[in-house]
Structure formats: structure tokens, C-alpha cells
Amino acid sequence: MVRIIDICSGKGGVGKTTVAANLGVALQGFGRKIAVIDCNLTTAHLGLYLGIYSFPATLNSFLRNESKLEDAVYTHPSGLSIVPASLQLKDLVNVDITSMKKTLKHVFYDYDMVLLDSAPGFGREAMLPLRISDEVIFVANPSIPSVVDIAKYSQLPESPEAIGIILNRTKGKKYELTAEEITQFTEMPVIGIIPEDENVLKSSNSRELAITVKQNSKASRAFFEVAATLSGVEYKVTIMDRLAGFFSRKKDYNRLTPSK
Ligand code: ADP
Ligand code: MG
């Protein structure tokens, strides 16, 4: 059964879109079939990050009953399925949550996971992905403002199960909050730590994903580790992996197989 997972955060700009797209590709490296849906209607960036700008059908046209959800599913060269959004917050009015969840489960029935790239916080826009998901993953930076609101999550009524927090953009500085401190404060496990990596910025400026441009970058390896955790497989970066990455440098998604 497909798992619908909301990638959300307390604060904006912490790396949700980056995590949703790179983690999606990393999960595919472990043989999982993944779709990412842009549910951030005010700042819909997923298409931008993937280098695709113009879409005949989007999540919005589906919400307006102008197209089928199937028509808004596009395939990125990495094999990742994506549903882009356009910038129309008014399309959120009158969305039938129950029927939308049913449609998602139906359209993506043969997928392993659908990742929802959410708006930050717990406002109206962020509530849609939250209400249609089975589980949530929070993205946070190692700073107090990005963590405080996550602690409020447990007070939301009927909230889906929280898998945990992906701590993004760590620099290894003493002043940063540690994973232990964050867990103590939010009562959620930290399921992955993605370091600050200029390859992420470089690749996003060239409309590509760090994980497809440089599989052996610090951030890419960390994305593969989180993907392994979520897939329930053991993953170790071997010297051969690193060498293969060094020589090929590009697009060899099938090279990664779960280590036994
Ligand atoms: P959100 O979706 O939460 O608003 P984004 O994914 O758009 O955040 O990321 C915000 C900015 O941070 C982008 O410019 C992105 O390239 C950058 N970024 C995200 N994660 C990293 C990282 N691990 N290392 C370096 N830059 C990062
Ligand atoms: Mg975003």
C-alpha cells in the first residue's frame, strides 16, 4: 500500500523542497517507486528545482476540476514522478480532503511512497497535505526558531504519525542544536542529518538535483542514508561506491543496491 508522507516544517526555507526531491531520487536508488507532489501553492518551487517550468496540467488544475490528477503527473529524467503546482492559493477553497486522499491512493496505487512538498507551519495551506497524508517527516535546521513550532505538532488534533525529523544544513558548529537536544525538545527522533553542502546550492542554480549531479557529495550520501532508513535496508558507502561515483560523476541511479 502506497505511503503518503508529508514533508513539512515549522519554519520556511529550511529545505523541504530540497529534501523531498533529493530524498525521492535516493529512495528510487533503493528500488522504490516514488512521486513528489508540490503542495506549496504560494511558493511552488518543485518544478523550478527540477528544471521544468511549463505544465499544461498542475495540482491546481486538478483541484479546480479542470484536469485529472493523472494528467498532472510528469516524469523527471531521474525517473521520479512529480506533480507540479501553480501559484493559486484560492484553489484550496472547498477541497474535499477525503476524496482527494482516495484519488491519491488510486492514482499512485503501485507506488511505494508519495512525498508531499508542503508549505511551512500549520496554517491553512499546510493543512491540506497534512490532512491527506498517512505520516509526516519534519525538516528542520539546527536552530531554535526552526524547531520550536515542531514541538506544537503533538497538540494538533487527528495529526498523522510523525516518523521524525530530518536535520538539514548542519555545519558542525558548537552553537548548533544537537540531534539529542532536538529530540528532547520535540519528542521526535532525528532520522537523518544532511550537512550544509555547496553542491546543493550549485545544482539548484543550474536547475538540477545535487543527488543526480554528484552522488558522492556529503549531502547526497546523507540523503541515501535517510532513504535506506526509510526503506528499511542497510546502506554503507564503500570505497568502490566512492570510486565508481568519482569516475562516472553522473546519473547511474541503478548502481545502488541494498547491501545484504
Ligand atoms: P523550503 O522548501 O523549506 O522553503 P528549500 O528546499 O527551497 O527550502 O531550500 C532553501 C534554500 O536552502 C535553497 O536555496 C536550497 O538550495 C538551500 N539548501 C537546502 N538544503 C541545503 C543544504 N543541505 N546545503 C546547502 N544549501 C541547502
Ligand atoms: Mg519549498
Side-chain angles (χ1 to χ4, degrees), residues 98-138:
T98 317
S99 91
M100 184 159 175
K101 188 163 182 172
K102 250 193 210 159
T103 308
L104 276 188
K105 294 267 179 189
H106 173 71
V107 170
F108 296 104
Y109 77 96
D110 61 341
Y111 283 63
D112 295 288
M113 291 175 210
V114 173
L115 307 179
L116 307 179
D117 179 18
S118 172
F122 302 120
R124 191 164 64 111
E125 196 183 354
M127 276 304 159
L128 170 73
L130 205 57
R131 292 288 172 241
I132 58 177
S133 59
D134 303 312
E135 298 156 277
V136 304
I137 291 177
F138 280 94

Side-chain angles (χ1 to χ4, degrees), residues 80-93:
L80 195 66
S81 297
I82 70 156
V83 177
S86 49
L87 311 172
Q88 296 282 345
L89 192 57
K90 64 177 172 8
D91 294 334
L92 276 179
V93 181

Side-chain angles (χ1 to χ4, degrees), residues 16-22 35-40 43-52 55 76 80-85 115-117 207 209:
K16 291 176 298 301
T17 305
T18 304
V19 166
N22 284 280
V36 182
I37 302 184
D38 194 345
C39 291
N40 189 342
T43 44
H45 287 163
L46 183 66
L48 287 182
Y49 279 33
L50 296 169
I52 326 170
F55 311 96
H76 182 253
L80 195 66
S81 297
I82 70 156
V83 177
L115 307 179
L116 307 179
D117 179 18
R207 306 289 177 250
L209 295 178

Side-chain angles (χ1 to χ4, degrees), residues 3-260:
R3 294 164 71 184
I4 304 176
I5 304 179
D6 186 18
I7 308 290
C8 54
S9 71
K11 187 178 158 300
V14 293
K16 291 176 298 301
T17 305
T18 304
V19 166
N22 284 280
L23 183 60
V25 174
L27 283 161
Q28 295 204 140
F30 291 108
R32 303 297 186 269
K33 193 171 179 190
I34 308 294
V36 182
I37 302 184
D38 194 345
C39 291
N40 189 342
L41 301 185
T42 36
T43 44
H45 287 163
L46 183 66
L48 287 182
Y49 279 33
L50 296 169
I52 326 170
Y53 312 97
S54 157
F55 311 96
T58 61
L59 181 67
N60 302 67
S61 54
F62 162 70
L63 293 175
R64 287 195 298 260
N65 283 323
E66 287 167 10
S67 66
K68 289 199 220 158
L69 185 58
E70 292 91 319
D71 298 336
V73 183
Y74 302 84
T75 310
H76 182 253
S78 64
L80 195 66
S81 297
I82 70 156
V83 177
S86 49
L87 311 172
Q88 296 282 345
L89 192 57
K90 64 177 172 8
D91 294 334
L92 276 179
V93 181
N94 298 332
V95 174
D96 180 340
I97 302 285
T98 317
S99 91
M100 184 159 175
K101 188 163 182 172
K102 250 193 210 159
T103 308
L104 276 188
K105 294 267 179 189
H106 173 71
V107 170
F108 296 104
Y109 77 96
D110 61 341
Y111 283 63
D112 295 288
M113 291 175 210
V114 173
L115 307 179
L116 307 179
D117 179 18
S118 172
F122 302 120
R124 191 164 64 111
E125 196 183 354
M127 276 304 159
L128 170 73
L130 205 57
R131 292 288 172 241
I132 58 177
S133 59
D134 303 312
E135 298 156 277
V136 304
I137 291 177
F138 280 94
V139 179
N141 298 146
S143 66
I144 289 174
S146 100
V147 170
V148 278
D149 290 331
I150 298 179
K152 296 177 192 157
Y153 181 70
S154 60
Q155 295 158 21
L156 283 184
E158 296 172 48
S159 41
E161 184 198 337
I163 299 173
I165 299 173
I166 294 178
L167 193 52
N168 185 35
R169 305 195 78 164
T170 58
K171 295 181 180 146
K173 301 284 185 195
K174 273 206 179 117
Y175 58 76
E176 293 179 348
L177 294 182
T178 63
E180 291 72 29
E181 286 168 329
I182 291 174
T183 295
Q184 226 172 29
F185 187 67
T186 59
E187 298 182 332
M188 286 183 204
V190 170
I191 58 164
I193 298 180
I194 316 291
E196 175 77 19
D197 185 342
E198 68 168 9
N199 290 295
V200 174
L201 284 168
K202 268 195 208 160
S203 50
S204 76
N205 282 345
S206 55
R207 306 289 177 250
E208 291 188 278
L209 295 178
I211 199 141
T212 59
V213 175
K214 201 166 180 196
Q215 289 201 339
N216 273 319
S217 71
K218 285 186 293 181
S220 299
R221 279 186 268 139
F223 281 121
F224 282 121
E225 276 170 29
V226 187
T229 305
L230 280 177
S231 310
V233 295
E234 200 184 318
Y235 168 69
K236 285 200 187 79
V237 182
T238 65
I239 294 288
M240 286 317 289
D241 273 330
R242 289 183 196 194
L243 282 178
F246 178 74
F247 287 119
S248 69
R249 290 268 162 122
K250 274 207 176 214
K251 308 190 171 54
D252 186 6
Y253 312 108
N254 298 324
R255 183 169 54 78
L256 281 157
T257 44
S259 55
K260 297 266 153 45

